[in-house]
Amino acid sequence: MPISKSKNELFSSACTADGLLSEAEVLNWVNLRMTQNKYSVQLTPLTYLKGWSIDSLTGNISHNSGKFFHVEGLDVRISTDTIQSWQQPIINQPEIGILGFVAQKFNGVLHLLVQAKMEPGNVNFIQISPTVQATKSNYTQVHGGNRPAFIEYFIEKNDGKVLVDQLQSEQGTRYLRKRNRNLIVQMPDDYVLSHSDDYKWITVGQLQKLMRFPNLVHLDCRSILGSLAYQLDFQQHPSGSALSSDEFYLKVRSSICADHADAEYDMPTVFSWLTQLKCQIEVHSNLIPLKQVIGWHLDNGVVRHESGCFFSVVGVEVQASNREVGGWCQPLIQSIDGGVIGLATQVRGGILHVLIQGRVEPCLIDILELAATVQCTPENYLDGTHSPLPAFVELFQSESRGRIRFDSVLSDEGGRFFHSMQRHLVVELNEDLYLDLPPNYCWMTLRQIQEFAQFSNMVNIELRSILSCLALVA
Amino acid sequence: MPISKSKNELFSSACTADGLLSEAEVLNWVNLRMTQNKYSVQLTPLTYLKGWSIDSLTGNISHNSGKFFHVEGLDVRISTDTIQSWQQPIINQPEIGILGFVAQKFNGVLHLLVQAKMEPGNVNFIQISPTVQATKSNYTQVHGGNRPAFIEYFIEKNDGKVLVDQLQSEQGTRYLRKRNRNLIVQMPDDYVLSHSDDYKWITVGQLQKLMRFPNLVHLDCRSILGSLAYQLDFQQHPSGSALSSDEFYLKVRSSICADHADAEYDMPTVFSWLTQLKCQIEVHSNLIPLKQVIGWHLDNGVVRHESGCFFSVVGVEVQASNREVGGWCQPLIQSIDGGVIGLATQVRGGILHVLIQGRVEPCLIDILELAATVQCTPENYLDGTHSPLPAFVELFQSESRGRIRFDSVLSDEGGRFFHSMQRHLVVELNEDLYLDLPPNYCWMTLRQIQEFAQFSNMVNIELRSILSCLALVA
């Protein structure tokens, strides 16, 4: 694979495992940041959360400023052949945040400026995060704190070149139609950017390889990397040549570089599959008072489902030394353990394909988005009172049908989620394994998924998260 | 331009001006259909519309079955730097209709099966329409009529190959978040399809050339043709070679075939432009009772604005001999005259670019969509009580800045709109004319727009309409 010829600097960076720092140096830096900052996060009843109130009429949870976010109730009705309906708490945060990497070339290779950032819901306090994560409340300084560092690279005119700039959805099962702006802005080679010890430069390839450490790379990094679409010159990237090797990363590269004509389904067929799905489904989601949500109760300062399944809304009190403000309280969502994001892959017609589902979620902008093969928490199905386990969970439960190519536990965003982790799994199925696909599944090349990722409201955050784990280097 | 080498059959068909029938034969056929069917459409007060009721409490207009569509009120608030707000009537039709062409190859060239179809709002009764236009109410036979002919080619499994299948928006100023499924399905060459005299086979190129006749080609044809994205092999279509000629259609071809790398702005830059616009704008549109809409009144059986501007809601009583049912009554939207859809084009860096605006409309799914350079009715601005004339209207008012390349009056869909016409204009600006662009404007190649057209919620119907007029043959 003559990748060195690529003029696409993001792609080249993804193919580079060595940067200004070695992986050991990066890990050492994160550990050091962890010890040099003092944090404390304590669970606190929602009823005693300083700065936050529970409305006596609605039960909705809001900050006294009216900003940040609200926890409200949601009534959901999804109609296909049958009608599914339920109620649940939902985060209402009607503003578009910014998730951005500043990028710059060093030694000829594009590096991303990453931050060792503390968030109250992180199991290990500090995770490797994008240069900037900021809600509009943050950067318009509603909370009276400091303006987030580097935000000017994304909201003001400068010499940067935009490599990625997409509105992408957040979790459609937890947020009400929430989107963030996912950005990478490349500064000129001679630009001098000074930063504190909270920041380091690493390559895309390094960041992807760090995904194999549990809970180290922040979901917002994965969200941005999962939004990439390498603008490649296909002539420089003959597909197929890598497949004699058993190196999975070479198969990933060739799937990223594959011409659409060599995919199992051409683009018009994939579009039609998606359109037909959207036409068969109607989603009605309406806000209701949190107090009225059936099956959920405020119980000892925690909002939880009476079955103990799904998730809870908890309160935390935070002390930290290097955030915009020194201390604060807030609600967080705590999902139950055992979540799985599984991506099944298979070499089909000489090219690695991934098995994608069109997944309806109650609060997406447009009915459904492309999602990983499996996105579920099997524990929610144990009591047998609702639907059977989703399709294809069994593909990830043993190596009898293929080889596990990636396996790591990664977290939801610690600014809204408390110790919420999913096991991220990639399996490469045996070439001779035949799967019978439900109508909402489709085999696609990585190149085809990248085509969709360029447009808003197409690739859900869990799929972006697992896609970002597909490293292009060994 | 070695277009004959193209394997893309839609593109080849668009480059073919001769089909099974000559243009004269097609025109003759339409005229004949017009004389062989008896139609009568009479304006009738909304208050006496058989089968329809005006709710005494809300003033909303609905069919007694609860199906088809409702005319309700809309409260709009659009926030950018400033806040714009207004109220208006809106069509609420929460179901996805089907607009589809059946296609088949004759003499090696793809033809589309078009229908000479009567609709009550058409100025000349009959227009050349897609093979099928059907609301869900139609094809589920709510009205008790016949099932629309050929609908099975689009909703049932058959041997057809899907060439286009996209959810595309309808008018975001008239419909509440309405989308239709735009389809082209190609049947195998040896398939035998029988049809009545209401149908004929014509090439894409023929259909595009017929756009120059006033009110002849139906908006739904233009909607589908404007959703096309030719899957071209760029090596076969060197750009630039056509530009020594003054033939505009050759410039159009080369812009459709242009490599993104040769466009004025690369794709990441165009995406970023669009994302930034979306982040700066918030649209809040809420249904309200029609009775409460400020400035609008039911007056002698017509709902109209007190200024006489914008549009009215009128009632009609219809008699026809070849529709699913023999006669019916319904409300229609009558826009005031003088609407303009104008597309400015210019050769920039050797490639024809078009000037696109990101246009906010109150009822789009995602804030704004790509729109033509100008989409407005200047008459609405004459009284001077609201905003100044939109940008660039003057480009279409004389030939001093360039050459008018297309000029034809075309209608809105006659099933919902009564004698509502817009002048469709394409101007090719002089190469040395410099335009200062407002932030919501961007130069794009036709290839780039086609990239967007492949995805839902990206290209508005007025832009699709004018794009469909850009013929690829002389």
Side-chain angles (χ1 to χ4, degrees), chain B residues 157-441:
Chain B
K157 287 259 174 265
N158 57 49
D159 295 334
K161 178 175 153 51
V162 174
L163 303 182
V164 175
D165 185 359
Q166 286 297 341
L167 282 181
Q168 300 284 13
S169 59
E170 296 283 300
Q171 293 88 335
T173 56
R174 297 290 180 268
Y175 283 102
L176 182 72
R177 288 183 272 282
K178 171 99 175 91
R179 297 191 290 184
N180 283 323
R181 190 171 173 184
N182 287 242
L183 286 144
I184 302 181
V185 172
Q186 179 181 1
M187 298 309 291
D189 297 356
D190 57 358
Y191 182 85
V192 180
L193 184 150
S194 60
H195 59 78
S196 74
D197 276 352
D198 283 334
Y199 297 84
K200 291 289 176 198
W201 292 103
I202 68 176
T203 69
V204 174
Q206 287 185 306
L207 188 53
Q208 290 194 291
K209 288 196 66 191
L210 289 167
M211 308 285 182
R212 70 187 193 282
F213 296 99
N215 303 313
L216 179 63
V217 179
H218 191 280
L219 177 59
D220 291 344
C221 289
R222 283 143 38 215
S223 171
I224 303 171
L225 293 192
S227 302
L228 296 186
Y230 304 113
Q231 312 288 321
L232 298 173
D233 181 344
F234 297 114
Q235 274 56 54
Q236 298 179 349
H237 303 282
S239 57
S241 61
L243 295 174
S244 52
S245 158
D246 189 48
E247 302 280 12
F248 188 65
Y249 76 93
L250 291 176
K251 297 180 185 176
V252 169
R253 277 193 198 181
S254 97
S255 184
I256 285 174
C257 300
D259 196 308
H260 292 328
D262 299 323
E264 179 146 340
Y265 302 106
D266 64 9
M267 287 302 278
T269 302
V270 176
F271 288 130
S272 185
W273 164 75
L274 199 63
T275 299
Q276 186 155 0
L277 281 180
K278 286 188 181 178
C279 290
Q280 289 165 349
I281 298 161
E282 282 179 32
V283 178
H284 299 274
S285 297
N286 295 305
L287 285 175
I288 58 174
L290 183 56
K291 222 176 202 173
Q292 286 176 17
V293 171
I294 294 168
W296 294 75
H297 308 287
L298 177 66
D299 168 21
N300 279 324
V302 173
V303 175
R304 62 179 113 231
H305 192 255
E306 56 200 17
S307 69
C309 287
F310 312 117
F311 61 91
S312 305
V313 186
V314 303
V316 292
E317 186 179 338
V318 185
Q319 293 297 332
S321 65
N322 73 340
R323 283 286 300 248
E324 293 83 6
V325 290
W328 72 94
C329 290
Q330 68 168 92
L332 288 172
I333 303 291
Q334 180 171 27
S335 297
I336 67 162
D337 290 341
V340 173
I341 299 174
L343 190 66
T345 71
Q346 191 173 40
V347 173
R348 302 174 68 86
I351 295 171
L352 191 76
H353 284 66
V354 302
L355 186 53
I356 294 296
Q357 65 170 307
R359 187 172 198 271
V360 182
E361 292 177 356
C363 292
L364 297 173
I365 297 259
D366 192 13
I367 303 169
L368 60 84
E369 296 188 2
L370 304 183
T373 317
V374 165
Q375 173 190 328
C376 79
T377 304
E379 278 66 11
N380 286 331
Y381 297 83
L382 288 185
D383 67 351
T385 54
H386 69 298
S387 13
L389 263 181
F392 302 125
V393 170
E394 74 283 0
L395 295 179
F396 302 90
Q397 290 173 335
S398 82
E399 292 216 51
S400 64
R401 294 177 181 87
R403 292 185 57 186
I404 299 292
R405 296 300 199 168
F406 183 86
D407 185 354
S408 183
V409 172
L410 299 167
S411 315
D412 278 329
E413 198 236 327
R416 293 291 173 274
F417 296 90
F418 186 73
H419 297 198
S420 293
M421 297 168 270
Q422 292 97 24
R423 189 166 166 196
H424 284 56
L425 283 157
V426 178
V427 64
E428 184 187 357
L429 300 176
N430 300 330
E431 282 195 51
D432 58 0
L433 179 72
Y434 171 79
L435 293 181
D436 202 18
L437 301 192
N440 65 324
Y441 279 79

Side-chain angles (χ1 to χ4, degrees), chain A residues 96 136 161-163 165-167 179 181 266 268 271-272 275-276 278-279 365-367 451-452 454-455 457-458, chain B residues 96 136 161-163 165-167 179 181 266 268 271-272 275-276 278-279 365-367 451-452 454-455 457-458:
Chain A
I96 296 171
K136 212 165 189 173
K161 178 176 154 48
V162 175
L163 304 182
D165 186 358
Q166 286 298 340
L167 282 181
R179 296 191 291 184
R181 192 171 171 185
D266 64 10
F271 287 130
S272 184
T275 299
Q276 184 155 5
K278 286 186 180 178
C279 290
I365 299 256
D366 191 13
I367 306 170
E451 202 79 64
F452 282 96
Q454 296 179 95
F455 295 85
N457 317 328
M458 287 286 172
Chain B
I96 297 171
K136 212 166 189 172
K161 178 175 153 51
V162 174
L163 303 182
D165 185 359
Q166 286 297 341
L167 282 181
R179 297 191 290 184
R181 190 171 173 184
D266 64 9
F271 288 130
S272 185
T275 299
Q276 186 155 0
K278 286 188 181 178
C279 290
I365 297 259
D366 192 13
I367 303 169
E451 203 78 63
F452 282 96
Q454 297 179 93
F455 294 86
N457 316 327
M458 288 283 172

Side-chain angles (χ1 to χ4, degrees), chain A residues 253-266:
Chain A
R253 279 194 198 181
S254 97
S255 184
I256 285 174
C257 299
D259 195 309
H260 291 329
D262 298 323
E264 179 145 340
Y265 301 106
D266 64 10

Side-chain angles (χ1 to χ4, degrees), chain A residues 16 66 70 97 110 146 156 178 215 224 232 256 279 287 341 384 401 457-458:
Chain A
T16 306
H70 308 262
L110 199 73
N146 301 317
E156 279 145 31
K178 171 100 176 90
N215 303 312
I224 303 171
L232 298 173
I256 285 174
C279 290
L287 285 175
I341 299 173
R401 296 176 180 84
N457 317 328
M458 287 286 172

